[in-house]
């Protein structure tokens, strides 16, 4: 009796790595609490310094050196990655400074706005078309930003800088044919020289370097490379394994965790104007997500 045809191997789900990435990003403020004695600018320098060797190790493990070398040989790719490196460096610094300064809600708003800003940037720069629901979501988010401008101007720049820097970062990386991990490796290499300069400047300052004074703090600073590279790698794996619109829904896990951390761990007062802005952004996110879900279901039924 002939053997039946072998069953195709089940597709590996991207849900676990996606959840891993967003949970790490969501709980990152708790890690930053542990290193709050390190000046934010110095910490960004060490973060870059310790991210590069970890990225190179993972690139070697995943045998991605051919992709890395191909990117290094392309002047256009290197120029784009120079721009993305500057954008992600700004994003890292503002985020770390804001968390250490107690502006947790402002960071949460910034990353809630990010997907909506991505849609807007796609329309303005890439000529993509928005549906009526998406325009409504963007409009409601704009009202939320206007309220922040009126009642919380001192923290508005944090939200907008985080949202736009990460949105522009994604836009630049979208135009470059290089994987997430090789791209991050090259970006870290580009930023390495200024990062070493920052570390050296603090080492020569009267207070001295934060690294090398305490074994526990040394470990925490080294871990900054892990919390940078690992979630990005998990995100890259998830993006290959699951529908991008579904991945978009999960994106809101991180700022939601940050919001509740700000409320219950950092004990930040939630001013009325910020509460109203959050409610408007949640409404915009719900409209945006429902539109993506409707399109996904329509495509599945077609």
């Amino acid at each position: 009796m002939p053997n039946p045809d072998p069953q195709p191997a089940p597709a590996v789900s991207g849900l676990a790595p996606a959840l891993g990435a967003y949970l790490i990003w969501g709980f990152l403020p708790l890690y930053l609490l542990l290193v709050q004695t390190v000046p934010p600018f110095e910490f960004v320098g060490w973060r870059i310094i310790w991210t590069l060797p970890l990225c190179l190790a993972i690139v070697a493990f995943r045998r991605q050196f051919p992709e890395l070398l191909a990117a290094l040989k392309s002047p256009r790719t290197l120029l784009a990655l120079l721009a993305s490196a500057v954008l992600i460096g700004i994003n890292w610094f503002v985020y770390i400074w804001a968390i250490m300064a107690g502006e947790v809600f402002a960071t949460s708003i910034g990353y809630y706005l990010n997907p909506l800003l991505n849609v807007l940037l796609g329309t303005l720069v890439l000529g993509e078309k928005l549906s009526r629901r998406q325009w409504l979501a963007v409009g409601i988010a704009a009202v939320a930003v206007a309220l922040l401008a009126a009642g919380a101007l001192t923290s508005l720049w944090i939200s907008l800088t985080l949202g736009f820097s990460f949105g522009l970062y994604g836009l630049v990386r979208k135009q470059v044919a290089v994987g997430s991990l090789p791209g991050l490796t090259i970006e870290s290499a580009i930023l390495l020289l200024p990062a070493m300069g920052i570390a050296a400047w603090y080492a020569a300052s009267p207070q001295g370097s934060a690294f090398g004074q305490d074994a526990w703090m040394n470990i925490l600073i080294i871990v900054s490379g892990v919390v940078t590279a690992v979630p990005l790698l998990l995100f890259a794996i998830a993006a290959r394994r699951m529908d991008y619109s579904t991945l978009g829904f999960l994106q809101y896990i991180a700022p939601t965790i940050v919001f509740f951390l700000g409320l219950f761990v950092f004990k930040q007062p939630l001013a009325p104007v910020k509460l109203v802005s959050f409610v408007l952004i949640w409404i915009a996110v719900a409209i945006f997500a429902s539109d993506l879900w409707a399109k996904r279901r329509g495509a599945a039924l077609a």
Side-chain angles (χ1 to χ4, degrees), residues 1-19:
M1 185 176 179
N3 291 328
D5 292 335
Q7 295 296 317
V12 181
S13 172
L15 181 60
L19 288 175

Side-chain angles (χ1 to χ4, degrees), residues 36-93:
Q36 61 183 342
T37 57
V38 183
F41 204 48
E42 181 184 4
F43 184 77
V44 171
W46 286 117
R47 183 178 186 177
I48 293 163
I49 290 169
W50 289 109
T51 295
L52 181 58
L54 183 61
C55 284
L56 287 170
I58 300 174
V59 165
F61 176 77
R62 302 183 74 204
R63 299 179 181 178
Q64 289 184 292
F65 274 115
E67 187 179 352
L68 185 68
L69 293 174
L72 289 172
K73 292 177 182 177
S74 168
R76 181 180 179 277
T77 299
L78 285 178
L79 187 61
L81 289 175
L82 172 62
S84 64
V86 172
L87 288 167
I88 200 62
I90 291 170
N91 184 273
W92 287 347
F93 172 71

Side-chain angles (χ1 to χ4, degrees), residues 74-271:
S74 168
R76 181 180 179 277
T77 299
L78 285 178
L79 187 61
L81 289 175
L82 172 62
S84 64
V86 172
L87 288 167
I88 200 62
I90 291 170
N91 184 273
W92 287 347
F93 172 71
V94 172
Y95 181 81
I96 291 166
W97 176 88
I99 294 294
M100 291 181 173
E103 295 287 354
V104 181
F105 289 141
T107 67
S108 179
I109 289 172
Y111 286 114
Y112 270 124
L113 287 174
N114 178 245
L116 301 169
L117 292 173
N118 285 346
V119 171
L120 188 60
L121 288 170
T123 303
L124 297 176
V125 179
L126 303 178
E128 297 175 352
K129 302 296 183 183
L130 292 187
S131 67
R132 289 182 181 180
R133 285 185 183 181
Q134 288 176 335
W135 273 120
L136 178 61
V138 170
I140 293 172
V143 173
V145 171
L147 281 175
L148 285 173
L153 186 60
T154 55
S155 61
L156 175 63
W157 71 272
I158 298 171
S159 302
L160 292 181
T161 301
L162 290 175
F164 273 106
S165 62
F166 204 69
L168 290 170
Y169 172 78
L171 186 65
V172 172
R173 289 298 302 271
K174 187 179 176 67
Q175 311 302 308
V176 184
V178 61
S180 176
L181 183 62
L184 177 63
T185 305
I186 295 173
E187 288 164 349
S188 300
I190 290 171
L191 294 172
L192 182 61
L193 191 59
M196 292 176 67
I198 292 169
W201 187 83
Y202 275 96
S205 67
Q207 76 253 26
S209 172
F211 189 82
Q213 297 186 12
D214 176 77
W216 175 239
M217 185 58 68
N218 291 350
I219 293 171
L220 288 174
I221 290 173
I222 292 171
V223 167
S224 65
V226 177
V227 299
T228 300
V230 170
L232 281 171
L233 176 60
L234 291 173
F235 178 83
I237 294 170
R240 288 196 303 270
R241 292 182 181 176
M242 67 193 306
D243 184 88
Y244 205 72
S245 62
T246 305
L247 192 62
F249 293 144
L250 298 175
Q251 182 173 356
Y252 299 110
I253 291 174
T256 301
I257 293 173
V258 172
F259 171 80
F260 285 111
L261 287 178
L263 203 59
F264 297 114
V265 177
F266 289 80
K267 305 293 184 182
Q268 282 203 302
L270 187 56

